[in-house]
Amino acid sequence: DMHSSDLTKCIRTQGGPVKRINLSKNRISDEGISHIIKALCDSLIETVNLQSNKISEKSVEGIVGSLKTNKTLKVLDL
């Protein structure tokens, strides 16, 4: 299993051609999603799928807040 910190390192790698990331059905919790969202703000990823995870309304507020600063994310599937 990949830990949130390992995943955020992968997301922050801007030299690669990754434009889409599918994180659906990974049982990501609020704590994990907060790290992932911070990494997405610093990435060039355009599409993220976060369906079927353990994301609460609290995390959704953080996700929405991060969208204000993210200039590349075009599709966010919750």
Side-chain angles (χ1 to χ4, degrees):
D1 288 338
M2 184 178 283
H3 292 92
S4 295
S5 61
D6 294 333
L7 182 57
T8 56
K9 288 176 189 174
C10 292
I11 291 171
R12 285 190 175 129
T13 304
Q14 296 185 14
V18 176
K19 296 290 183 185
R20 299 173 191 213
I21 188 167
N22 183 348
L23 300 172
S24 64
K25 300 178 185 174
N26 277 290
R27 295 180 280 167
I28 299 170
S29 66
D30 286 338
E31 181 181 343
I33 201 67
S34 68
H35 296 290
I36 291 167
I37 293 304
K38 287 177 187 174
L40 287 172
C41 288
D42 298 330
S43 76
L44 298 176
I45 293 175
E46 297 175 353
T47 302
V48 178
N49 183 345
L50 292 170
Q51 286 185 5
S52 301
N53 282 293
K54 297 179 178 180
I55 301 171
S56 72
E57 285 184 39
K58 175 184 168 187
S59 289
V60 172
E61 290 175 15
I63 293 168
V64 170
S66 71
L67 295 176
K68 294 176 184 176
T69 59
N70 187 301
K71 304 296 182 203
T72 59
L73 191 62
K74 296 176 184 174
V75 177
L76 176 61
D77 196 349
L78 297 174

